[in-house]
Amino acid sequence: MPKDTKLGPCVHGKIGAFYFYADGSTDDPAFGFCDIELSVQRVAEDTMRLELYCIADGYQSARGVGARHPLKLAVLAGETVLGTASWHFPDVICGHADPMHFAADIRLDDGLFAKLDRVELSRTSGESEPCG
């Protein structure tokens, strides 16, 4: 859900988890984000706000570093990308489950807001470091 539902119409959804895996592995996650909630809200004329809330999961012995490898998000209507945002998330600490929030305002013609049908997390690389 958005921080302020009174700002305008909103659509929202949830993704269970998004993990970064060690190179060549399909079962050794380094870190990730769980219980991801996304919303897109019309907040002003020709402006939508994309918000993401999640739990950052520093899995076992690695911490995630978002400075050089942002999480990439796209708002779509069918196969048409209406807007994008990149989140350079703060470090995801090992052995923690910390709440995190991201918001970005994106220009969008008002007539297109009703057509949006999903938000996608794009495939991206990540960086992790050993816990100290």
Side-chain angles (χ1 to χ4, degrees), residues 65-86:
V65 181
R68 288 185 293 274
H69 301 277
L71 196 59
K72 300 171 187 174
L73 303 109
V75 178
L76 296 106
E79 296 306 312
T80 303
V81 176
L82 302 178
T84 62
S86 294

Side-chain angles (χ1 to χ4, degrees), residues 18-122:
F18 185 87
Y19 276 94
F20 291 87
Y21 289 85
D23 283 339
S25 173
T26 58
D27 62 355
D28 184 18
F31 69 96
F33 302 97
C34 302
D35 296 327
I36 302 166
E37 295 184 26
L38 295 157
S39 67
V40 181
Q41 183 178 28
R42 184 183 177 275
V43 293
E45 184 176 337
D46 295 332
T47 305
M48 68 175 167
R49 178 167 296 149
L50 172 63
E51 288 187 71
L52 178 149
Y53 299 90
C54 67
I55 301 298
D57 181 12
Y59 188 79
Q60 295 184 9
S61 62
R63 69 183 173 96
V65 181
R68 288 185 293 274
H69 301 277
L71 196 59
K72 300 171 187 174
L73 303 109
V75 178
L76 296 106
E79 296 306 312
T80 303
V81 176
L82 302 178
T84 62
S86 294
W87 177 32
H88 291 272
F89 51 88
D91 282 4
V92 176
I93 302 169
C94 326
H96 281 230
D98 296 320
M100 291 193 178
H101 172 255
F102 168 74
D105 288 348
I106 300 170
R107 300 271 310 146
L108 177 71
D109 289 343
D110 286 338
L112 293 175
F113 184 83
K115 295 181 181 193
L116 69 91
D117 60 9
R118 70 185 183 281
V119 175
E120 288 186 355
L121 301 178
S122 300

